[in-house]
Amino acid sequence: MFKNHPKGLIGAALSNMGERFGFYIMMAILLLFLEFKFDFAGSQGSLIYSIFYAAIYLLALVGGIIADKTKKYKTTILVGLVLMTLGYVSLAIPTPTPVANKTLMLTLTCLGLFAIAFGNGLFKGNLQAVVGQLYDNPKYAEKRETGFQIFYMFINIGAMFAPLMAVGLRNWWVQSNGFAFNSDLPKLCNQYLNGSITPEASERFTELAASVGGNTADLTSFANQYLNIFVEGYHYSFGIAIFAMIISLIIFLINKTTLPDPAAKLAKSSESTAAEVKMDAAEVRQRLYALFAVFAVVIFFWFSFHQNGQTLTLFANEYTKTIKLDLGFTTLEGAELFQTFNPFFVVFLTPVVIGLFGWIKARGINLSTPRKIAIGMGIAAIAFVVMALGSYGLPDYQTRDAMGGLGEAARVTPWLLIGTYLILTVAELFISPLGIAFVSKVAPPHLQGIMQGCWLGATALGNQLLFIGVILYKNIPIWATWGVFVTACLISMFTMLAMIKWLERVTD
């Protein structure tokens, strides 16, 4: 697989595994952690989640500017790894739930999230820029797209195990304290304690408390105890990311010398680069116009795709039958497990997609990178069509909430979400690694870091809109929510197709 690829590719990919590991732990548990920890009934948790994920990508632009100005790409990447590790440390320290001083604890939580986001901003875009520079060598130029696909596959290996380990630790902690896991109980505990529980939900709360081993003679004590233990398990799950980040840090330090030094390269060719930029100012403008046009379009895609950590996670927790895997010492079950499927499919479908592109090319079909990205957006629309059809007829969120949740018999098959993640992953493989490759190819040499930051900045804007999905999810029929994402993906696809000839000229 690595034949005819530069030596530094595998080192860069393995260095990124820790970041992806932490990213997928956050994607799996962050929204539920915020809602259960701070008793958010509306979209407050979703808004914090959206701001956090927007900041991860938006701060990549800041990281790109810092690296481009200082020319210290590797140092910037290293500082980012350390800062992310410290952020996970702050979240891993358990604090009591229910929260006595919500303002203080929410502030500390947000500071930890900011440390992770800023560290990610220093790390992610700059590492991608360094990988792109591996392929500036004419010897490897034809392998650029495949190289980024391989890079994307390997960084998701860590992500594949992250939700499993987070759920396993959380459930083990609940079970070791004498209780069984139940996905509806944390919300019911909060409702019982704050007095907002309905009579119907109260009856279900009593039944579930008895089923998990709780003391129904003192429901207030049970609610406090179960909620605290459940959320404490989430804190320990954040701690797993610390070890993944340390491993990535060690790998990066070991492989640092195999990665290109952009500062040395730019210093060596500063005169010719300046002359090139001055001579080809019109071409530089055209490249920037093309890049920003693509950035604007993909905002709608990321707004839809990254619902896997928001509305799709809520749907998994509240409307989907539970997946259970008994490991003996603990049972893996919970909505967070669904986050395993996306990185799993990335790892195992990447060779298939690479083979498909190679098969198409061998038959003389010129499928440009912009055209592949447009196709990916159409595939994403199909995924949400599947969700809309599969969830048609389900009670809306407010009705379900008043009932105290749905029993297993009333929930949909987990294959609905698994199939959706499969289709979304195919779309992702057409867009994310190819988009990164597109940016590294089209961006002017002296703006590589900033343009990779802008690509991530477009993702940030899409992520900032994520909370809108939760507002829709909680206020309109479930199937109609997925219809909004179908529309967003189709807008992206048709806009991309309208620009395709111009983008292909710029790319060539």
Side-chain angles (χ1 to χ4, degrees):
M1 180 176 287
F2 291 95
K3 185 179 180 180
N4 299 322
H5 285 278
K7 183 180 178 181
L9 178 62
I10 183 65
L14 293 176
S15 299
N16 208 160
M17 281 177 58
E19 181 272 331
R20 285 288 91 183
F21 188 97
F23 183 94
Y24 270 84
I25 281 183
M26 299 297 276
M27 187 172 289
I29 71 176
L30 179 57
L31 181 59
L32 297 177
F33 166 77
L34 291 171
E35 293 216 340
F36 298 156
K37 178 81 175 179
F38 298 103
D39 187 21
F40 290 143
S43 60
Q44 304 101 310
S46 174
L47 183 59
I48 294 171
Y49 180 104
S50 299
I51 293 172
F52 168 66
Y53 272 95
I56 280 180
Y57 292 95
L58 189 60
L59 289 171
L61 177 58
V62 177
I65 292 171
I66 291 172
D68 281 342
K69 292 294 184 183
T70 63
K71 304 298 185 290
K72 295 181 179 179
Y73 285 74
K74 295 180 184 180
T75 302
T76 305
I77 290 169
L78 186 61
V79 172
L81 281 167
V82 172
L83 196 54
M84 280 189 282
T85 305
L86 294 175
Y88 285 115
V89 169
S90 70
L91 293 179
I93 300 172
T95 55
T97 309
V99 178
N101 189 335
K102 187 178 289 188
T103 301
L104 174 62
M105 293 313 305
L106 190 56
T107 300
L108 293 175
T109 299
C110 289
L111 286 174
L113 293 174
F114 177 77
I116 296 170
F118 190 46
N120 203 301
L122 296 174
F123 172 82
K124 189 176 179 65
N126 290 313
L127 185 64
Q128 289 173 184
V130 168
V131 172
Q133 286 159 359
L134 288 171
Y135 291 87
D136 287 345
N137 186 333
K139 179 181 177 182
Y140 305 114
E142 291 296 318
K143 293 284 186 177
R144 183 182 295 269
E145 276 193 10
T146 305
F148 271 101
Q149 287 172 314
I150 293 171
F151 173 76
Y152 201 74
M153 178 184 75
F154 268 82
I155 68 176
N156 276 279
I157 292 175
M160 192 166 56
F161 297 102
L164 296 175
M165 295 177 69
V167 170
L169 180 58
R170 191 274 314 280
N171 288 5
W172 171 82
W173 183 248
V174 171
Q175 292 164 16
S176 67
N177 280 274
F179 295 113
F181 167 85
N182 184 276
S183 61
D184 285 330
L185 266 176
K187 177 178 281 190
L188 289 170
C189 287
N190 273 318
Q191 290 176 345
Y192 183 85
L193 293 172
N194 66 29
S196 65
I197 195 167
T198 65
E200 188 177 2
S202 182
E203 183 178 341
R204 177 167 165 76
F205 174 55
T206 304
E207 293 174 357
L208 291 178
S211 71
V212 301
N215 178 15
T216 55
D218 188 355
L219 287 174
T220 300
S221 176
F222 165 76
N224 279 288
Q225 188 180 12
Y226 190 86
L227 190 61
N228 184 61
I229 291 170
F230 197 97
V231 175
E232 201 168 47
Y234 278 140
H235 281 291
Y236 295 139
S237 294
F238 288 126
I240 303 174
I242 299 170
F243 297 100
M245 293 305 305
I246 292 172
I247 292 171
S248 276
L249 183 60
I250 294 170
I251 292 173
F252 178 75
L253 290 172
I254 292 173
N255 291 278
K256 192 177 177 184
T257 56
T258 67
L259 298 174
D261 186 351
K265 180 180 177 180
L266 288 174
K268 185 177 179 181
S269 58
S270 58
E271 292 183 6
S272 60
T273 300
E276 179 184 341
V277 171
K278 184 177 181 180
M279 251 174 27
D280 300 320
E283 181 184 353
V284 170
R285 283 197 301 271
Q286 282 298 309
R287 288 179 173 226
L288 293 179
Y289 292 155
L291 286 169
F292 281 105
V294 173
F295 297 157
V297 172
V298 298
I299 290 172
F300 295 96
F301 168 76
W302 293 121
F303 161 63
S304 304
F305 178 80
H306 278 151
Q307 291 297 327
N308 51 0
Q310 292 251 37
T311 53
L312 289 174
T313 291
L314 292 176
F315 186 85
N317 193 59
E318 297 163 351
Y319 288 94
T320 306
K321 292 183 189 297
T322 306
I323 298 177
K324 293 185 180 181
L325 180 61
D326 190 353
L327 300 181
F329 65 93
T330 187
T331 301
L332 293 180
E333 59 178 312
E336 302 90 345
L337 289 177
F338 285 97
Q339 293 301 328
T340 299
F341 290 103
N342 174 238
F344 173 83
F345 289 141
V346 167
V347 171
F348 288 98
L349 287 178
T350 295
V352 176
V353 173
I354 291 174
L356 173 64
F357 290 159
W359 181 83
I360 291 172
K361 186 176 181 180
R363 276 148 185 78
I365 302 173
N366 182 22
L367 202 59
S368 67
T369 301
R371 200 172 293 272
K372 290 173 185 173
I373 293 173
I375 292 171
M377 292 167 177
I379 294 172
I382 294 173
F384 287 107
V385 169
V386 170
M387 281 300 299
L389 294 173
S391 57
Y392 187 79
L394 289 173
D396 61 38
Y397 175 85
Q398 293 178 354
T399 301
R400 177 214 162 275
D401 211 30
M403 294 164 56
L406 297 178
E408 282 290 301
R411 296 184 175 217
V412 301
T413 173
W415 289 106
L416 174 62
L417 271 176
I418 294 171
T420 298
Y421 280 124
L422 173 63
I423 301 169
L424 281 175
T425 301
V426 175
E428 180 184 7
L429 292 175
F430 271 73
I431 295 173
S432 192
L434 299 186
I436 297 169
F438 177 80
V439 174
S440 73
K441 182 178 181 180
V442 176
H446 62 298
L447 296 174
Q448 281 286 327
I450 292 176
M451 288 301 102
Q452 287 289 351
C454 286
W455 166 261
L456 297 172
T459 311
L461 292 176
N463 287 345
Q464 184 57 68
L465 301 175
L466 290 176
F467 73 95
I468 296 174
V470 175
I471 293 174
L472 295 171
Y473 174 87
K474 293 187 175 183
N475 290 281
I476 66 175
I478 300 298
W479 66 267
T481 301
W482 313 129
V484 172
F485 303 132
V486 172
T487 303
C489 291
L490 290 177
I491 289 173
S492 296
M493 182 186 71
F494 286 117
T495 306
M496 196 78 178
L497 289 174
M499 302 187 298
I500 205 77
K501 291 184 178 179
W502 169 53
L503 293 174
E504 287 174 342
R505 284 198 304 271
V506 174
T507 306
D508 294 337

